[in-house]
């Protein structure tokens, strides 16, 4: 009995050391460049999905039409097309870019499907024009769903400079505010370029990436002048100007 126990223990030890000696899978040892790539891909996919809702705003607000055909599957497929246009390459498939990248892609696509599926009644209400189903409203739900699915490993958020933010839940944290107010605000900062670094986050440290966005003409009917007047949504306009930094997509990959 005794010898048998020792032999078993020895076998267990050999097994453990064999595991420790095996090479660490690449996904567990992401370089800063890898992390930037995973976060950047998620920011682009998220922005692509929001752009699909923006492209379909007239359809969504068509009072005469009931079923808009914007199912989860349709919006996910359109998001892939949009991603390809924005990124200049198709959304990678399978484990390309590592396990975490694949998981994050799957979580974002599933979240698009979930959010659209959950809101079919809202979108398909006939006899009502403007419904309040806006790109930013969709983006908030998408961000929350993605962050929940990636439970503590990754999170995404749409935010804006403090002076412009409308939904309090989108307020920038200290790091986001600092990057927007200093890095992005610098006169010589390249337009549209993302910024990434290792930084603190209320849920723990991680690799943080943030992509700036600017007001285009179409944004100003809600976010523009005259400041304080109500827009079509009933909210107060921010007095934003054309090409002004209007918001940012913020992604974190936790340590
Ligand atoms: C029809 C009105 C309307 C238009 C057009 C519009 N927005 Fe918004 N935007 C809103 C509303 C309302 C919210 C708050 C959404 C919420 O409650 O979560 C918002 C939120 C945002 C946010 C999130 C931060 C915050 O303030 O809560 C950003 C960033 C943003 N908009 C940028 C843009 C940009 C850039 C455009 C143009 C491409 C645009 N918006 C066009 C109405 C609009």
């Amino acid at each position: 009995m005794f010898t048998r126990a020792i032999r078993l223990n020895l076998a267990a030890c050999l097994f453990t050391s064999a595991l420790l000696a095996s090479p660490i899978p690449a996904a567990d040892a992401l370089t800063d460049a890898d992390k930037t790539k995973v976060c950047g891909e998620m920011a682009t996919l998220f922005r692509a999905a929001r752009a699909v809702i923006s492209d379909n705003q007239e359809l969504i607000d068509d009072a005469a039409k009931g079923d808009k055909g914007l199912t989860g599957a349709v919006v996910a497929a359109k998001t892939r097309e949009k991603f390809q246009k924005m990124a200049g390459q198709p959304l990678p498939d399978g484990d390309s870019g590592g396990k975490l990248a694949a998981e994050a892609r799957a979580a974002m696509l599933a979240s698009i499907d979930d959010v659209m599926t959950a809101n079919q009644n809202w979108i398909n209400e006939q006899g009502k024009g403007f419904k309040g189903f806006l790109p930013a409203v969709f983006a908030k739900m998408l961000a929350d769903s993605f962050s929940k699915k990636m439970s503590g490993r990754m999170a995404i958020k749409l935010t804006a400079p403090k002076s412009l933010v409308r939904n309090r839940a989108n307020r920038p944290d200290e790091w986001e505010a600092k990057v927007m107010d200093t890095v992005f605000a610098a006169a010589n900062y390249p337009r549209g370029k993302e910024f990434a670094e290792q930084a603190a986050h209320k849920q723990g440290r991680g690799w943080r990436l943030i992509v700036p966005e600017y007001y285009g003409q179409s944004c100003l009917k809600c976010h523009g002048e005259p400041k304080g007047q109500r827009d079509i949504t009933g909210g107060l306009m921010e007095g934003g100007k054309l090409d002004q930094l209007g918001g940012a997509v913020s992604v974190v990959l936790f340590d």
Side-chain angles (χ1 to χ4, degrees), residues 134 136-137 158-160 164-167 170 214-215 218-219 221-223 232-233 246-247:
L134 293 167
V137 171
L158 178 65
T159 187
L164 297 174
V165 84
R166 206 179 260 226
N167 180 345
N170 295 331
Y214 310 87
Y215 286 141
S218 73
C219 317
K221 69 174 183 207
C222 293
H223 293 288
I232 182 180
T233 74

Side-chain angles (χ1 to χ4, degrees), residues 32-252:
D32 289 352
D34 293 335
K35 292 178 189 173
T36 294
K37 204 165 167 217
V38 175
C39 293
E41 189 180 287
M42 279 313 102
T44 305
L45 193 55
F46 177 78
R47 296 177 72 214
R50 187 173 49 134
V52 169
I53 298 306
S54 182
D55 288 351
N56 286 283
Q57 192 71 65
E58 249 179 71
L59 171 66
I60 293 168
D61 294 344
D62 185 349
K65 207 163 182 171
D67 187 359
K68 311 296 189 298
L70 292 174
T71 60
V74 165
V75 173
K78 284 180 188 292
T79 298
R80 279 180 182 274
E81 285 169 28
K82 196 67 148 186
F83 178 95
Q84 182 155 2
K85 281 201 191 110
M86 290 167 74
Q89 57 178 64
L91 186 67
D93 271 326
D95 265 6
S96 167
K99 229 178 133 197
L100 182 75
E103 255 180 74
R105 279 195 292 272
M108 188 66 83
L109 291 169
S111 294
I112 293 168
D113 198 330
D114 289 356
V115 171
M116 292 312 293
T117 301
N119 290 291
Q120 287 297 300
N121 288 346
W122 185 0
I123 296 163
N124 292 336
E125 186 180 348
Q126 206 167 1
K128 189 170 183 182
F130 182 73
K131 300 173 180 64
F133 191 86
L134 293 167
V137 171
F138 165 76
K140 174 80 177 76
M141 292 188 279
L142 182 58
D144 290 349
S145 170
F146 172 82
S147 305
K148 196 169 167 209
K149 282 191 203 295
M150 292 304 290
S151 60
R153 284 171 301 151
M154 258 183 116
I156 198 162
K157 164 186 174 194
L158 178 65
T159 187
K162 270 192 194 132
S163 57
L164 297 174
V165 84
R166 206 179 260 226
N167 180 345
R168 282 178 62 80
N170 295 331
R171 272 175 308 170
D173 74 0
E174 208 178 307
W175 180 82
E176 289 157 342
K178 188 193 74 186
V179 176
M180 285 190 283
D181 296 347
T182 59
V183 181
F184 293 162
N188 58 352
Y189 190 78
R191 192 182 154 89
K193 190 175 165 44
E194 81 282 358
F195 176 82
E197 67 178 358
Q198 180 74 10
H201 184 280
K202 70 173 189 298
Q203 287 167 257
R205 289 182 65 81
W207 189 252
R208 303 193 64 173
L209 177 140
I210 182 166
V211 185
E213 294 190 334
Y214 310 87
Y215 286 141
Q217 200 60 54
S218 73
C219 317
L220 298 180
K221 69 174 183 207
C222 293
H223 293 288
E225 304 272 10
K227 185 175 178 173
Q229 201 150 306
R230 294 202 184 275
D231 64 20
I232 182 180
T233 74
L236 301 178
M237 298 208 277
E238 285 84 3
K241 309 269 189 301
L242 189 65
D243 285 336
Q244 180 185 358
L245 178 76
V249 173
S250 173
V251 188
V252 55

